Amino acid sequence: MKSILKIMTLLFSASVLLSSCGNNGKSSGNNSALNSSNAEKVYVAPGEYDEFYAFMSGGYSGNLTVYGLPSGRMFKEIPVFSQFPTTGYGYSEETKPMLNTSFGMVPWDDSHHPDISQTNGVLDGRWVFINGNNTPRIARISLKTFETEEIIEVPNSAGNHSSSFITENTEYVVAGTRFSVPVPQADLPINEYKGKFKGALSFISVDKETGRMGIKFQILMPGFNYDLSHPGRDKSHGWFFFTTYNTEEANSLLEVNASQNDKDFIAAINWKKIEEYVNNGGGTKMPTNYAHNVYDEHTHTATSTMVKEVLTVNPLDIPGAVYFLPTPKSPHGCDVTPSGEYIIGNGKLSADLTVHSFAKMLDAIENKKFDGDAYGIPILKYEDILAGVVKSGGLGPLHTEFDDKGNAYTTFFISSEVVKWKIGTWEVIDRKPTYYSVGHLMIPGGNSRKPFGKYVVAMNKITKDRYLPTGPELEHSAQLYDISGEKMELIYDFPTHGEPHYAAGIPADLIKGNSQKIYRLDENKHPYAITSPDQAKVTRNGKEVHISMAMIRSHFTPDNIEGVKVGDKVYFHITNHEQDFDVPHGFAMIGANNSELLIMPGQTKTLTWEPKQVGVWPFYCTDFCSALHQEMQGYVRVSPANSDIELSWSLDGE
Amino acid sequence: MKKAGIIMIIGSLLLMGLFKFPLWNIMLGAPQYPEPLGMDIYIDGIKGVSEFDLQNIDGLNHYIGMKVIPKPEEMWEFSAFPKVIGGMVALGVLIGILGFMGKVSYKWFIGWFILMSILGVLGMYDFNQWLTEYGGDLDPHAIIKVINADGTPMTYKPPLLGYQKMLNFDVTSLPHTGAYMMFVGMMLTIVAFFVGKKENKRA
């Protein structure tokens, strides 16, 4: 209780300090010469390209945003876990299955930790993965089309937070549960949490060629909260590290009851060992139910398959596979240096960082230097595995990233700063304030063997006075620091969309050349696609009316449709016949209870419309596609339910 | 006249490049087309520089009422030109061989060159005629009708050679690899003529 009081006091005094600073104190110390050289560093001239892509999680927007660095310009919002009426994602018939889960359609999620695929520990720029935290899911996004291609639900998990981090050859994308739950789910008194709840750590395999995901195994761990994770790399490749909190196994008022143990654990998982065990027939198949949703680029359609079984592993069945590394103060971020030697526990209720040594860990394991066990899992001795402690002088360390010169950068939420320190000597080299209360930070390639240590982006939780005010709700703020020199230099500040928790950055050259321009019409395999306007047709199947329509600058074929009746369900299957870069067309139908469609060249999308009123109702193109965009429109005549008007359709009377 | 004969043969054979490379190229750039659209004109048809360029040029042309770019079977030129070029290559090689063997005079070389030049000029004339017709034969119901300052309707003939601004488009029309190979080949036949003349004198 005392430590909580202490933090409250600190927070309070911090807020007093901040408010007393006022508006003008924000960038004190900057002179104009410095400002202009900083401006040059972030200036990307009109028509020029940024050096890096940054993929920022949308947090409670459920999506992924694409930014350029150093300019801080946002290029795109990629819909992932949330319905997106802008494009029709999650509303169109083709994409509704993407959001299917064992709970039915879940049209939203909380996206957290993007991670880019790697080969040999180096970014390869093929896919970016991201986790849905609320209804546990992992998504894979293509870096060719910049569209979500696959979403897999994670059963036995809740609060999918220590996710979605990938191993160094993209063998696995790993998803750990933050909330432990009964596994399998059961009707239990909540206060029987302790000992009965489990924490599932899921290893989802990724196909080398297609990227297709499948849950290979789930490790059923003790009922702690698995907060964050990172893969071992290089020398520690084959291991995975998860921070835990609530090793107290409290089930209520966790802010107090889960903050009692002086040390929680980092769980070290030898996944290669477990993989081998599973490949030899180990593990238990458990009945379950989860959705696996896959989008096909050629049919432009997603399918959702319910999977009924998952392979679970009891860590006690595989001696030597799992160990606990005691780590002080409810560690949050769990970060591994590019060399793979050091595992950093960011003890969020502490001022210090704990650095464990992988070599010492292996040594302690070999010599069986254990300090008891937790539910049968050996606990290593803190002193035996400790490589060092970073005495930071900051408060509330959350996350650490690395550059390519042997330095680490840690964010401090409570003291609102980024601290640069030296790996190996643990000495603090520099510290710079953030605005305000920084969460994650990102260095392009920071989660790989090969970081590109030119910039660090700090992603803050509190914005307050950084930009022109926009009422009570503000976008979050991010700061960009130049880290090419000994001292960090704050060079830019920009708002970010949603709540970016983590981000993944990559040199633009690794992906910009692969970015697709159009979908080929001659490869369109959508069952209702038409590849030539003379195939346009309207057919009736009971109360369902299917319209196969074409769109090209600047008309729809057909654009006059009659014979639709009140009570019908009309399916507009629309194919964009353009084969020219950046010529999408939109489709909007008056009174449609869903969204619009934004259809890319060569693509087919379907919107449903259930006309409720007799009349002649217009539709139009929503994307200002051409000089004749305003003319890109049409009408549907809706007759009474008992009318005997036959279906007919035309363009220009033909 | 061995040397001259060989040069004549090589010169004639360079015309074969026209079967592989474009004769002419027209590029259309605009603010919206930072990567310009382009047409490569071959002796046997027109192709897009990028895969969908012709479709996209046609798409834009429909606004100003231009006809779609002709397919090879829609123009006699695309079946006649390959035959003419093939015939001239055969003739040139034959003259070269006969010259090599000393059966014909070096004057045949310049004769071939003159004939080829006449055919070339005729070809260019025909090509220009087609450009004029194609650029001027507009649909009376065209979506966009632009009137020149003198009150006549604007036509859209691309330049035969060089640059021209047409509405929002920068149009550049230049010979391409095939034409350059033909040019070099024809020059070689002149060289063959002079070399032949020299060899003839020495003999």
Side-chain angles (χ1 to χ4, degrees):
Chain A
M1 201 66 199
K2 242 182 194 167
S3 63
I4 295 299
L5 273 175
K6 234 186 235 170
I7 284 155
M8 295 292 283
T9 317
L10 275 164
L11 282 171
F12 179 72
S13 50
S15 66
V16 169
L17 272 172
L18 288 177
S19 52
S20 68
C21 263
N23 278 338
N24 301 326
K26 293 189 295 201
S27 41
S28 60
N30 283 358
N31 60 45
S32 60
L34 191 64
N35 277 339
S36 76
S37 86
N38 286 345
E40 278 169 24
K41 283 181 188 165
V42 297
Y43 182 69
V44 178
E48 302 279 300
Y49 290 151
D50 279 283
E51 194 179 345
F52 294 96
Y53 280 97
F55 296 91
M56 298 205 175
S57 76
Y60 38 60
S61 84
N63 293 335
L64 182 72
T65 48
V66 188
Y67 285 79
L69 295 180
S71 75
R73 297 179 295 187
M74 180 172 145
F75 303 140
K76 187 179 186 180
E77 178 170 9
I78 302 173
V80 183
F81 297 114
S82 291
Q83 282 184 314
F84 198 63
T86 307
T87 60
Y89 180 85
Y91 292 100
S92 73
E93 292 305 296
E94 290 81 4
T95 52
K96 278 182 194 170
M98 288 304 277
L99 302 180
N100 188 41
T101 73
S102 60
F103 302 91
M105 199 225 205
V106 178
W108 167 91
D109 215 305
D110 177 17
S111 66
H112 271 249
H113 308 124
D115 207 3
I116 296 168
S117 56
Q118 296 179 19
T119 303
N120 296 324
V122 178
L123 299 180
D124 64 22
R126 299 201 287 167
W127 307 295
V128 54
F129 298 85
I130 192 165
N131 55 322
N133 190 51
N134 177 52
T135 304
R137 290 177 273 183
I138 301 287
R140 179 175 55 82
I141 294 126
S142 159
L143 291 181
K144 189 165 64 88
T145 60
F146 289 66
E147 297 286 343
T148 306
E149 282 190 335
E150 188 175 6
I151 293 180
I152 193 165
E153 191 183 353
V154 185
N156 298 329
S157 188
N160 177 31
H161 194 268
S162 38
S163 320
S164 47
F165 301 102
I166 57 141
T167 54
E168 71 171 28
N169 289 301
T170 322
E171 296 98 334
Y172 293 100
V173 51
V174 175
T177 193
R178 175 162 139 224
F179 310 128
S180 284
V181 287
V183 176
Q185 272 291 0
D187 177 17
L188 284 184
I190 299 170
N191 63 15
E192 289 182 15
Y193 181 113
K194 204 166 189 164
K196 287 203 176 161
F197 285 35
K198 294 278 179 217
L201 307 179
S202 306
F203 282 69
I204 300 166
S205 60
V206 179
D207 184 90
K208 273 188 168 51
E209 298 305 318
T210 62
R212 197 63 69 86
M213 300 185 285
I215 300 176
K216 177 97 170 172
F217 56 85
Q218 288 191 315
I219 310 168
L220 297 183
M221 296 285 286
F224 309 149
N225 290 40
Y226 295 86
D227 200 10
L228 274 158
S229 66
H230 260 108
R233 59 177 62 94
D234 208 346
K235 66 191 291 192
S236 53
H237 177 57
W239 290 77
F240 223 96
F241 304 95
F242 294 82
T243 44
T244 67
Y245 65 96
N246 194 23
T247 50
E248 296 87 347
E249 295 181 75
N251 59 281
S252 188
L253 194 61
L254 264 67
E255 67 170 322
V256 176
N257 295 326
S259 305
Q260 298 306 305
N261 288 353
D262 185 52
K263 291 190 180 68
D264 294 284
F265 300 126
I266 286 177
I269 312 271
N270 186 336
W271 60 260
K272 280 244 162 120
K273 199 161 218 166
I274 299 174
E275 180 185 59
E276 193 189 327
Y277 168 78
V278 163
N279 284 344
N280 290 326
T284 311
K285 282 185 178 148
M286 177 189 281
T288 187
N289 189 31
Y290 66 93
H292 185 190
N293 312 328
V294 179
Y295 182 81
D296 183 305
E297 191 186 313
H298 296 300
T299 60
H300 301 284
T301 301
T303 47
S304 179
T305 312
M306 297 311 295
V307 185
K308 300 293 183 186
E309 206 172 55
V310 69
L311 186 65
T312 60
V313 169
N314 178 349
L316 300 184
D317 292 343
I318 316 157
V322 183
Y323 298 92
F324 284 136
L325 321 181
T327 306
K329 299 292 173 198
S330 302
H332 187 57
C334 181
D335 300 295
V336 180
T337 53
S339 67
E341 166 59 12
Y342 298 113
I343 303 120
I344 291 131
N346 303 266
K348 64 178 184 277
L349 304 182
S350 156
D352 301 336
L353 293 170
T354 305
V355 184
H356 297 303
S357 156
F358 179 71
K360 285 186 173 182
M361 180 192 96
L362 288 187
D363 186 64
I365 291 169
E366 191 162 336
N367 296 307
K368 297 199 162 32
K369 291 199 261 179
F370 302 140
D371 189 12
D373 69 273
Y375 293 100
I377 294 170
I379 301 171
L380 301 177
K381 271 204 186 106
Y382 175 71
E383 296 75 17
D384 291 342
I385 53 173
L386 187 72
V389 173
V390 181
K391 299 272 180 199
S392 68
L395 257 184
L398 290 189
H399 302 282
T400 302
E401 293 259 300
F402 309 95
D403 67 14
D404 45 357
K405 297 183 277 287
N407 301 304
Y409 300 79
T410 302
T411 52
F412 287 79
F413 179 79
I414 299 173
S415 54
S416 245
E417 58 186 338
V418 179
V419 171
K420 176 182 179 181
W421 51 274
K422 187 105 200 137
I423 299 169
T425 67
W426 326 121
E427 62 183 319
V428 171
I429 297 168
D430 189 24
R431 60 194 328 127
K432 283 285 181 311
T434 63
Y435 307 90
Y436 306 95
S437 294
V438 60
H440 276 271
L441 75 173
M442 183 274 279
I443 292 171
N447 174 35
S448 75
R449 277 198 216 175
K450 191 184 160 194
F452 300 85
K454 188 164 180 186
Y455 305 111
V456 61
V457 185
M459 286 159 273
N460 300 283
K461 301 300 180 189
I462 295 173
T463 306
K464 301 270 187 187
D465 61 347
R466 294 307 286 176
Y467 315 115
L468 288 174
T470 54
E473 191 195 339
L474 307 169
E475 292 280 45
H476 282 205
S477 85
Q479 277 96 41
L480 183 73
Y481 301 83
D482 177 352
I483 55 166
S484 53
E486 178 77 356
K487 299 284 178 189
M488 296 179 280
E489 197 79 65
L490 173 61
I491 53 174
Y492 200 55
D493 187 325
F494 59 100
T496 51
H497 188 56
E499 185 190 0
H501 288 271
Y502 192 33
I506 181 168
D509 288 340
L510 289 179
I511 52 178
K512 72 169 193 256
N514 304 333
S515 178
Q516 194 162 317
K517 291 187 169 173
I518 58 165
Y519 297 97
R520 295 184 64 102
L521 193 57
D522 58 10
E523 288 177 359
N524 184 326
K525 301 215 165 58
H526 190 291
Y528 285 97
I530 52 171
T531 51
S532 139
D534 55 28
Q535 298 163 351
K537 60 175 186 285
V538 183
T539 53
R540 177 179 285 284
N541 178 14
K543 287 205 169 288
E544 282 185 8
V545 175
H546 290 271
I547 303 171
S548 287
M549 188 183 269
M551 58 191 348
I552 197 161
R553 281 165 287 178
S554 306
H555 58 272
F556 296 96
T557 311
D559 65 0
N560 281 202
I561 297 155
E562 303 199 356
V564 172
K565 298 174 206 171
V566 169
D568 283 347
K569 185 169 188 181
V570 180
Y571 291 77
F572 293 97
H573 307 284
I574 311 174
T575 306
N576 182 344
H577 279 193
E578 306 284 355
Q579 293 285 270
D580 196 356
F581 182 33
D582 197 20
V583 190
H585 291 292
F587 176 82
M589 183 72 222
I590 190 170
N593 297 106
N594 31 33
S595 75
E596 71 145 345
L597 297 175
L598 194 61
I599 307 166
M600 297 305 125
Q603 198 176 37
T604 304
K605 288 187 180 178
T606 303
L607 192 75
T608 59
W609 177 56
E610 295 177 56
K612 295 175 187 71
Q613 298 172 51
V614 168
V616 178
W617 305 103
F619 55 85
Y620 71 102
C621 171
T622 54
D623 187 305
F624 206 109
C625 55
S626 62
L628 278 301
H629 159 73
Q630 292 298 82
E631 284 74 6
M632 194 164 170
Q633 60 176 46
Y635 288 105
V636 181
R637 174 181 170 188
V638 177
S639 305
N642 58 4
S643 139
D644 53 8
I645 293 174
E646 288 295 311
L647 282 177
S648 65
W649 61 94
S650 61
L651 168 72
D652 201 15
E654 289 172 19
Chain B
M1 235 175 49
K2 291 202 162 158
K3 213 195 259 174
I6 290 169
I7 295 171
M8 181 65 203
I9 292 168
I10 293 170
S12 315
L13 283 175
L14 277 173
L15 266 65
M16 296 291 284
L18 287 168
F19 289 93
K20 170 93 176 126
F21 301 106
L23 173 68
W24 221 261
N25 167 272
I26 300 178
M27 296 304 286
L28 302 131
Q32 308 82 337
Y33 286 92
E35 283 178 37
L37 300 169
M39 287 189 269
D40 282 333
I41 298 154
Y42 292 78
I43 51 169
D44 60 352
I46 303 175
K47 286 183 188 160
V49 172
S50 297
E51 188 181 356
F52 296 108
D53 278 3
L54 290 193
Q55 177 181 334
N56 291 328
I57 292 168
D58 281 339
L60 295 168
N61 284 351
H62 103 276
Y63 287 115
I64 48 175
M66 286 174 85
K67 294 209 174 71
V68 296
I69 296 162
K71 304 274 175 300
E73 59 274 16
E74 290 165 353
M75 282 174 68
W76 64 267
E77 286 90 340
F78 292 133
S79 53
F81 281 8
K83 287 178 193 143
V84 171
I85 298 296
M88 285 306 288
V89 171
L91 186 62
V93 170
L94 182 66
I95 293 171
I97 291 170
L98 292 174
F100 181 83
M101 290 158 52
K103 301 268 162 127
V104 297
S105 144
Y106 64 88
K107 287 174 185 160
W108 281 80
F109 300 164
I110 199 77
W112 183 93
F113 173 78
I114 291 165
L115 177 59
M116 187 64 217
S117 302
I118 292 167
L119 289 171
V121 168
L122 284 175
M124 294 293 279
Y125 176 76
D126 181 72
F127 179 46
N128 194 52
Q129 282 289 95
W130 172 72
L131 285 178
T132 308
E133 189 196 303
Y134 178 66
D137 181 15
L138 303 176
D139 184 343
H141 298 294
I143 297 164
I144 301 172
K145 287 179 218 159
V146 186
I147 305 297
N148 290 322
D150 63 3
T152 56
M154 183 183 265
T155 59
Y156 304 96
K157 176 191 173 293
L160 182 63
L161 184 70
Y163 167 84
Q164 196 178 319
K165 180 93 183 167
M166 289 168 67
L167 298 183
N168 56 328
F169 277 91
D170 296 300
V171 186
T172 312
S173 175
L174 291 170
H176 208 279
T177 313
Y180 291 123
M181 288 176 73
M182 175 173 74
F183 179 75
V184 171
M186 286 174 70
M187 287 303 114
L188 282 180
T189 62
I190 297 182
V191 171
F193 166 74
F194 285 110
V195 171
K197 199 173 175 183
K198 217 165 145 192
E199 284 178 315
N200 197 39
K201 256 185 206 162
R202 230 182 284 147

